[in-house]
Every structure is written in C-alpha cells, then in structure tokens.
Amino acid sequence: QVSDTLAKEGPSSPSYDWFQTDSLVTIVIYTKQKDINLDSIIVDHQDNSFRAETIIKDYSYIIHVGLSHEVEEDFSVRVVENVGKIEIVLKKKETTSWKRLGHPLENHNSLIPRKDTGLYYRKCQLISKEGVTHDTKLFCLMLPPSAHLQVPIGQHVYLKLTITGTEIVKPYTPVSDFLLSEFKEPVLLNNKYIYFLIKIYPDGLFTPELDHLQIGDSVSISNPEGNFKTSQFQELEDLFLLAAGTGFTPMVKILNYALTNIPSLRKVKLMFFNKTEDDIIWRSQLEKLAFKDKRFDVEFVLSAPTSEWNGKRGHISPALLSEFLKRSLDKSKVLICICGPTPFTEQGIRLLHELNFSKDEIHSFTA
Ligand code: FAD
Ligand code: NAD
C-alpha cells in the first residue's frame, strides 16, 4: 500500500516477470526507463534469497524472493538499453520445473525512495594491498560470484568490518586503475574488482583494522551512494578539479571519464593540495598523463613543504584559485569539483562563490 502511494509520486513503477528452461531461470525487469545501464542494477543472492535492486533516479525497485529451488552461485545480467529491460539469468542446480519463483521477502516488488532502502552489504575478499605513499594504500577487493554491483562515477560505498564484536562502517570512494599503465587484469574478471585508495591513520578507528587484514580476508561492501550525475558533464568545456589529500579519490574516475567520453571538453585541470611531497598520491602517473594528453594539467600545492619545494605553497586561497580557474574560452561551460577535509571543502565553496561561480558550476563531495 505504502509503495503504491510513493510510486504515484516517483517514476512509474517497473514490473517483472520470469520464465524458465530445463536449466535456466530468467527474471526480466521492465523498468519503463531508457537511461538504464549495468550501473543501474545491483543483484545479490545469498543462500536461497535473491535480491535485485534497480535504481531509477531517486527510487529503487526491489525484487526480493526466497527462491523455491536451488541455483548456482554465479548468474548473468544483461541490459537492453533502448527498451529499458533487464534480464538476470540464473542456473538451476537441478533440471526440475519450477512452479513458482519463490516466496516474497522484505520490500519485494516495490518501488521505494532510495533513502529508505537501507544499506545492503555483501562480503568481498581482499585480493591485494599495495603501498602508494608512506601512509596510503591501494586495496583491491573482489565481489563474490553471487553479486553484481558497479559503483558509478562520483559515488562512494561503505566498508564494514566487525571489530571486537562491534560493526564499524566508513565511506570510501572507489578509484579506477587507468592511471596505472603497468596494470594487467584478466578481462573476464573485469567488473568483479573494486579498487580503493585508503589512507591509514595510526590512531584511527577503522583504517588500522583494514590495514591488518590478510589477503583472502573478507570486508563487506554496501550499495553505492552519492549525488554526482554524469549529466553534469554535458557540453562541458572546462573541468577544474580541486582535491586535498584523499579527496583525490573521486577525481580519478571523473578524470578518466571526462577525458574519454566528453567530446566538447577542451581542458581539465587538477589542483592537488597536500601537506608534503611524500603525501602526493600517484604524482608521477599524473605528470605522465599531463605529458601525454595536452588537455590535462596538474598543479601540486603543498601546505608543509620542505625548503627545496619550488612549486606552489599554502592552503586554498583566493589568489591560488583566481589564477588557476581561467576559462579556456570567454564563456566556456565550466564544472568545478571539490573534495577534501571538511574545512577545505567549505572554504573552497565560499571562495568559488566569491569568484562568481554559480551553484550549478560547483560539485562538492561531502559525507
Ligand atoms: P578516525 O577514527 O575517523 O580518525 C581519523 C583521524 O582523525 C585520526 O588521526 C584520529 O586521531 C583523528 N581524530 C578522530 N577523532 C578526532 C577528534 N574528535 N578530534 C581530532 N582528531 C580526531 N578516505 C580514504 O582514505 N579514501 C577514500 O576513498 C575516502 N572516501 C570517502 C568518501 C566519503 C563520502 C567520506 C565522507 C569520507 C571518505 N574517506 C576516505 C574518509 C574515511 O571515510 C574515513 O573517515 C577515514 O578513513 C578515517 O577513518 P578511521 O576510522 O581510520 O579514522
Ligand atoms: P591532509 O590532512 O593530508 O590534508 C591535505 C590538504 O588539505 C592540506 O595540505 C591542506 O591543503 C588541506 N587542508 C587540511 N586541513 C585544512 C583546513 N583546516 N583548512 C584548509 N585546508 C585544509 O588530508 P587527508 O588526511 O588526506 O584527509 C582527506 C579528507 O578528505 C578526509 O577528511 C576525508 O574524509 C575526505 N574525503 C572525503 C570524500 C568525500 O566526501 N566524498 C572522499 C575522500 C576523502
């Protein structure tokens, strides 16, 4: 009843159907939307419980059933974009004919606001952990075969660990590996790996525990969250990225996406604020990219440099910003993304408004 009411306010409710062959069960979701892709659907099955969450704007359409028969752990997901149809193909463990898909579980066949769906977690495996700076590491986690999940650009997930009996949860923004040219990964496993750049704080609550995990240990990952939309890139000409410390993480996928998918783009500039040279994440990779792609420039600003540092110094300031934020054309379409410690981001937004950038031209990443 509740979901019916909400459905009237939000997008028109999707529907689903299922059919079977001797060996397969196909669940079809008709979203009635055209802008659906593999990022829009999150599927999990654990034991016999099957859950598929389709994200449609600010709503989620949920299929959640206790399957009537056993299926194999892995499955396939296909999206027919032009008709907004999603197909999930499960493999039967036995070739019996199913009389029904299963019994309904929580929120089954309902369209609910995303903020009300709660965080849903699945256990991932730690595959690798590599030092990037003296305190920041690149963690690779692998999704189980029983999950389909892709984290969209600009969104974060929550990682969960149980520490001495208490569940601890913190948000992290996945990065892509496009800056790591030496990187090789079997194509088949592509969407199963999720990468994170995480700074370890020795006196922190969560990160020392994460750092102590062994390869093969598990960490739970939630569904993605966040309000960044790639439509903000439409017709974009100048992209300015202001990052401080690990506030660099959302910029990685943004940089890759913008340089690959936005034909109107003339210039991407990253101003990267850190305390010292040793704190700069992927410095040589960023410099290499700037050398390779003339549209991209990077500038490092240090707040606690050694006397040898010849580059820019200080904290975010009107002088640094007004020099950096030069449009490539008089009236070019601009987007400024900003992320870092809360005081950095707040001060940055204030300065950007003083420099007459409008709300629509600024995207800030916050909790
Ligand atoms: P905490 O226990 O939170 O402590 C962190 C530091 O603050 C320590 O040095 C601690 O001593 C100090 N501290 C704690 N409490 C206080 C206090 N009251 N007063 C003064 N100092 C204090 N981080 C990343 O590394 N990578 C990411 O990709 C990333 N993505 C994020 C995405 C979002 C949306 C948000 C909101 C944050 C993100 N973060 C990211 C930060 C991350 O969520 C954690 O805050 C961070 O890892 C610290 O967690 P912790 O529990 O180890 O440390
Ligand atoms: P850090 O302490 O190494 O500082 C990096 C730089 O930030 C400094 O060199 C300075 O230029 C600037 N800075 C720090 N404190 C400042 C202040 N009070 N005023 C103005 N500028 C200041 O940073 P870190 O330890 O890497 O922390 C990164 C922060 O980014 C964390 O707080 C994390 O939660 C946040 N973060 C947020 C998101 C998100 O919201 N999506 C994503 C990733 C990281």
Side-chain angles (χ1 to χ4, degrees), residues 16-29 43 45 48 50 63 65-72 74-78 86-102:
Y16 82 101
D17 200 355
W18 71 283
F19 56 88
Q20 61 186 314
T21 63
D22 278 352
S23 56
L24 305 173
V25 169
T26 302
I27 299 169
V28 188
I29 300 166
V43 186
H45 77 88
N48 263 8
F50 174 89
I63 301 291
V65 289
L67 296 174
S68 62
H69 294 70
E70 283 192 62
V71 293
E72 301 290 345
D74 64 317
F75 54 84
S76 64
V77 180
R78 203 166 78 93
I86 298 167
E87 288 178 353
I88 304 160
V89 184
L90 304 170
K91 297 177 199 154
K92 291 180 178 177
K93 274 204 173 153
E94 286 165 16
T95 58
T96 44
S97 171
W98 294 18
K99 292 210 169 51
R100 54 184 199 139
L101 183 61

Side-chain angles (χ1 to χ4, degrees), residues 173-231:
T173 314
V175 296
S176 63
D177 49 57
F178 92 105
L179 284 167
L180 304 177
S181 52
E182 67 271 27
F183 194 84
K184 290 178 213 80
E185 145 179 320
V187 177
L188 271 174
L189 284 173
N190 224 331
N191 291 317
K192 286 283 166 193
Y193 290 148
I194 308 183
Y195 295 89
F196 296 92
L197 280 167
I198 298 181
K199 181 181 281 196
I200 312 298
Y201 297 87
D203 47 0
L205 190 62
F206 187 83
T207 50
E209 296 294 331
L210 188 70
D211 194 29
H212 289 145
L213 294 181
Q214 304 293 312
I215 303 305
D217 283 352
S218 55
V219 185
S220 295
I221 292 193
S222 76
N223 287 4
E225 235 184 29
N227 54 11
F228 186 85
K229 295 193 172 61
T230 48
S231 58

